[in-house]
Amino acid sequence: MKKIKKWKVNATLLELCLGIVLYGIVGQIVVLIISRKPEYSIGFWAGVLLAVLGSIHMWWALDRGLEMASKDAMKTVGAQSIVRYLVVVAAAILLGVSGFGDPVAVVIGYLGMKAGAYMQPFTHKIGLKIFKY
């Protein structure tokens, strides 16, 4: 871990979260072009938020798993992965049933985790300029 200002932050996690937020901004523009229904935006941003929280949870689970024996680490990391996906499914169902947000938009927003991973070389350059780590 590298020290960024006063907090200990994993630089790769920070860059991943930055990529997810950038994905969210671009995705919101697309959502506004396609439809002005607030359900789509709410669902999309719920998915983006879950992607950021899921990334932090994944970092925590992997960091914890690296300190365990191989067999225990596989069980723990696998169980934590299932927890992440169950949370996304529960959020999509909850928003869909309530009519407050669109469940498909939740999943599309959650795909920001993948987009953030692919944008990491770009966000790494931004992180170097902003945080100078």
Side-chain angles (χ1 to χ4, degrees):
M1 286 188 228
K2 298 177 183 174
K3 214 170 186 177
I4 298 175
K5 296 200 179 195
K6 293 184 179 181
W7 302 295
K8 275 189 170 180
V9 177
N10 185 306
T12 305
L13 176 64
L14 181 69
E15 293 161 3
L16 177 62
C17 291
L18 179 62
I20 293 169
V21 171
L22 290 175
Y23 169 83
I25 292 167
V26 172
Q28 180 62 49
I29 293 168
V30 172
V31 167
L32 289 174
I33 290 171
I34 293 173
S35 174
R36 301 237 181 222
K37 287 188 175 181
E39 295 86 15
Y40 295 144
S41 292
I42 291 168
F44 180 73
W45 281 104
V48 169
L49 176 65
L50 287 172
V52 169
L53 295 175
S55 299
I56 294 167
H57 181 262
M58 185 185 309
W59 168 77
W60 173 80
L62 290 172
D63 191 49
R64 196 172 130 199
L66 287 172
E67 296 173 358
M68 297 179 175
S70 178
K71 192 173 183 180
D72 294 335
M74 286 177 53
K75 287 180 186 177
T76 300
V77 172
Q80 296 301 322
S81 176
I82 292 170
V83 167
R84 274 192 306 279
Y85 287 115
L86 287 176
V87 167
V88 172
V89 169
I93 290 171
L94 182 67
L95 286 175
V97 169
S98 70
F100 190 65
D102 186 56
V104 175
V106 172
V107 174
I108 293 171
Y110 193 74
L111 288 175
M113 192 183 299
K114 295 268 187 209
Y118 287 121
M119 292 187 332
Q120 197 273 336
F122 173 70
T123 56
H124 178 69
K125 291 177 185 175
I126 293 172
L128 286 174
K129 288 181 182 176
I130 293 173
F131 299 107
K132 300 178 185 359
Y133 47 77

